[in-house]
Amino acid sequence: MSQVFADEALARVAAGSSAFGSPDVAAIRAAIAARAAGRPRGPRMHEVRDIALPTCPGRLHRPGPDPAPLVVFLHGGGWTVGDVASFDRPVRRLAAASGADVLALDYRLAPEAPWPASVDDTVATLRAVAAGALGPRPPAVVVCGDSAGGTLATLACLRLRDEAPDALPDQQVLVYPNADLSDTTSASMREKATGFGFDAASATFFARLWVGGDDALLPDPRVSPLHAPDLSGLPPAVVVTAEHDPIRDPAEAYAARLAAAGVPTTLRREPGMIHNFLQLDEVSPAAAAAADRVAADVATARRTTRTRAGMR
């Protein structure tokens, strides 16, 4: 079993306690806000503005003045912590490197608003974008999320496929998503359970918090996309996992099932990388490079979807 990290900085992060190791949600939120406030802002944008969405606020980042494809971005944080402010730097980096406009959602969080509130927020936003509520539909729409946000992206696509296929995004980019909230036995959950910055116990804690403590919901396809019986008809997908991540294996299994269902799918496992690398660009050159590859995935997706959009 490899335990070689991509660089020494990641090894130091992994050796520290998990950022989500405490059950004190308020304390975690305060720590994340303080850490975000002390970070450099990130690349300058042509425009950054907060906007009202149908069910939640959002923040639009535009790297340039011209019309561009739109990325609807869903932040990680166990459906419980994080917001557009704490993810402002990674979103700016994503917009600058991909050339796309990025709309970050401040979706509702558990435990105050447990499942399905954050899925509802994502679905409502994608419906609004498709309906032109935010202006003319962009030349391409990509939904992108990391960790819990990746899960929300998958679940929103599944719902829209069945309820409003015209509102489906053109592409989904899923970065270390949690595809099976009920998983406790996969090789990654066992082999990467501790010592890698984000531990298996934290993954389970936040999953249970999101479903309001109802463990019977954890394997429900409306919560865990890996359990969905049919994955056909979904947008093309890019799935990015991290080698040293307890929730790695279900995400890779989800990518395999997408491909088997006929969904064009690209899977990339980032070697030596740990969970949450999008937030680690300042401390780890390797994490910064991995985040840049995600931006390249988005740029490739927007070029592809722009061609597809022109054919509709």
Side-chain angles (χ1 to χ4, degrees):
M1 178 180 63
S2 170
Q3 293 191 11
V4 177
F5 295 97
D7 60 24
E8 292 184 4
L10 280 183
R12 290 192 295 271
V13 172
S17 59
S18 168
F20 299 146
S22 165
D24 187 339
V25 171
I28 299 170
R29 289 174 177 171
I32 288 174
R35 187 161 60 243
R39 302 180 77 189
R41 186 172 63 176
R44 292 180 63 87
M45 296 283 104
H46 173 74
E47 178 186 17
V48 177
R49 61 185 171 97
D50 293 333
I51 60 175
L53 299 169
T55 60
C56 68
R59 181 173 293 173
L60 179 66
H61 300 72
R62 299 188 63 218
D66 298 326
L70 178 69
V71 176
V72 175
F73 181 80
L74 306 154
H75 67 79
W79 313 277
T80 302
V81 301
D83 55 19
V84 296
S86 60
F87 271 78
D88 190 72
R89 178 182 170 87
V91 167
R92 285 172 178 266
R93 294 186 78 249
L94 176 62
S98 69
D101 296 343
V102 181
L103 174 61
L105 268 60
D106 234 344
Y107 59 81
R108 289 171 288 173
L109 300 175
E112 297 87 351
W115 174 90
S118 49
V119 184
D120 293 342
D121 291 346
T122 307
V123 169
T125 298
L126 290 168
R127 279 178 174 265
V129 169
L134 307 181
R137 179 164 178 156
V141 178
V142 179
V143 65
C144 176
D146 76 302
S147 193
T151 309
L152 295 178
T154 67
L155 296 174
C157 286
L158 284 163
R159 271 183 50 181
L160 289 170
R161 178 199 63 183
D162 298 335
E163 298 175 4
D166 287 345
L168 272 172
D170 298 290
Q171 187 97 7
Q172 46 184 331
V173 177
L174 314 173
V175 187
Y176 40 81
N178 191 339
D180 184 2
L181 280 66
S182 67
D183 174 44
T184 59
T185 60
S186 67
S188 61
M189 280 291 275
R190 291 182 284 104
E191 296 169 1
K192 310 296 182 180
T194 60
F196 297 96
F198 174 68
D199 55 57
S202 293
T204 300
F205 169 78
F206 282 101
R208 296 190 71 250
L209 197 64
W210 190 41
V211 298
D214 184 357
D215 289 359
L217 274 175
L218 294 175
D220 191 302
R222 297 170 300 169
V223 169
S224 291
L226 185 60
H227 291 266
D230 178 16
L231 299 182
S232 63
L234 293 171
V238 176
V239 181
V240 182
T241 64
E243 178 184 0
H244 301 309
D245 186 352
I247 62 174
R248 179 198 69 205
D249 288 355
E252 295 183 354
Y254 185 70
R257 283 203 55 214
L258 284 172
V263 177
T265 303
T266 299
L267 170 65
R268 181 175 70 257
R269 179 191 292 185
E270 288 286 355
M273 202 55 56
I274 64 175
H275 193 81
N276 202 36
F277 63 72
L278 287 186
Q279 287 274 30
L280 299 174
D281 64 281
E282 292 171 84
V283 299
S284 164
D292 289 343
R293 286 189 285 274
V294 171
D297 293 329
V298 169
T300 299
R302 60 180 277 258
R303 287 193 296 269
T304 303
T305 55
R306 181 167 53 197
T307 301
R308 294 174 63 237
M311 296 171 61
R312 282 202 293 258

